[in-house]
Amino acid sequence: MGASLVLADAISSIEKFVDVFISVYVLLIFAYIITSWVKLPYSLWLNRVQRFLYDVCEPYLRLFRRILPPMGPLDLSPIITSSACTSSIG
């Protein structure tokens, strides 16, 4: 009886961790989108933040860019990526 409670608690903790991880990743994607739209002044720290966002978000976005057809200047991969992440929480 006690082992099943420990297992249930561990599964619940893992579910919460994955939920928070995906939520933070979606927020990072939104931050990446905003920093790509806005021309920020050159700063060493801003450059590091933009590079971090690029390194974290771009590999996953690239997966969806391969699948989606180009829509001119409109990039739908962040929308699809965010939808895929939030639907996996669900």
Side-chain angles (χ1 to χ4, degrees):
M1 181 83 168
S4 64
L5 290 176
V6 171
L7 181 62
D9 187 42
I11 292 173
S12 174
S13 297
I14 292 171
E15 286 176 347
K16 288 178 187 177
F17 173 77
V18 170
D19 183 35
V20 169
F21 181 80
I22 291 174
S23 299
V24 168
Y25 195 73
V26 169
L27 289 175
L28 287 173
I29 291 172
F30 286 138
Y32 177 66
I33 293 168
I34 290 171
T35 58
S36 70
W37 285 347
V38 177
K39 181 70 175 170
L40 298 173
Y42 180 78
S43 168
L44 184 60
W45 291 104
L46 287 176
N47 192 13
R48 288 181 182 171
V49 169
Q50 285 179 321
R51 186 66 191 174
F52 169 76
L53 290 173
Y54 176 83
D55 290 342
V56 169
C57 298
E58 195 60 33
Y60 192 59
L61 291 174
R62 215 176 299 131
L63 292 172
F64 289 97
R65 286 189 184 127
R66 290 182 196 157
I67 298 169
L68 295 171
M71 304 284 274
L74 187 61
D75 184 16
L76 297 177
S77 61
I79 298 169
I80 303 299
T81 303
S82 299
S83 300
C85 284
T86 54
S87 67
S88 66
I89 293 174

